[in-house]
Amino acid sequence: MSPQAITDWFHAAFIDAYDWVMVTNVIGMRQFADGGILASKPYAASANYIHKISDYCQDCFFSHRERIGEQACPFNFFYWDFLLRHKDRSRSQGRMNLVLSHLKRLTDSDKQAIQAQEATWWAEQLFSN
């Protein structure tokens, strides 16, 4: 989905969706579509973070602990794939260095499996409709 389409949706759905907030938070942080110009780091989270701050994971089939595999929460492989795809670009943003350091713990086969599962998930969504 395009960053502008998401911003338009926020404007339609929320009475307090002002441009000065939406452009920075939706386009800059959530979509990271500005490449870090307005926001100092992308707003991306793994399933583990979502599990810690909410109750959305309580009755879910997916595991917030697994990065890859049949029960891996899609938020996990999306998160790690995002970091892998944007690691070179994100290194210049100091707030990202701690997060990016966690990539060192992944083996090459883990990285390949994460990227393959992310691509497969999107292909399945595309062709299931």
Side-chain angles (χ1 to χ4, degrees):
M1 181 173 276
S2 79
Q4 189 57 53
I6 293 171
T7 304
D8 292 344
W9 179 84
F10 270 92
H11 279 293
F14 298 99
I15 195 165
D16 61 345
Y18 299 106
D19 279 337
W20 66 273
V21 174
M22 292 299 99
V23 171
T24 303
N25 290 346
V26 176
I27 295 178
M29 288 175 63
R30 199 274 179 198
Q31 293 298 103
F32 201 54
D34 70 350
I37 293 170
L38 295 176
S40 60
K41 77 181 238 187
Y43 194 74
S46 68
N48 191 45
Y49 179 76
I50 295 167
H51 173 74
K52 285 179 183 178
I53 66 162
S54 75
D55 60 0
Y56 290 118
C57 303
Q58 285 179 340
D59 299 321
C60 187
F61 163 81
F62 296 109
S63 170
H64 67 276
R65 292 189 174 111
E66 294 183 39
R67 281 190 202 115
I68 49 177
E70 188 176 313
Q71 282 195 281
C73 176
F75 280 102
N76 281 337
F77 51 83
F78 290 149
Y79 175 75
W80 291 102
D81 178 69
F82 176 86
L83 293 177
L84 289 166
R85 282 186 294 120
H86 297 289
K87 67 182 177 195
D88 294 332
R89 187 176 176 188
S90 300
R91 282 195 176 113
S92 64
Q93 298 164 336
R95 293 182 65 201
M96 288 297 294
N97 291 328
L98 176 63
V99 173
L100 293 172
S101 72
H102 297 288
L103 292 174
K104 294 175 186 171
R105 291 191 249 163
L106 300 178
T107 65
D108 287 341
S109 62
D110 285 341
K111 292 174 187 176
Q112 290 170 353
I114 287 166
Q115 291 171 323
Q117 190 159 356
E118 188 269 349
T120 300
W121 190 92
W122 284 114
E124 288 172 355
Q125 300 311 305
L126 181 66
F127 295 113
S128 69
N129 293 326

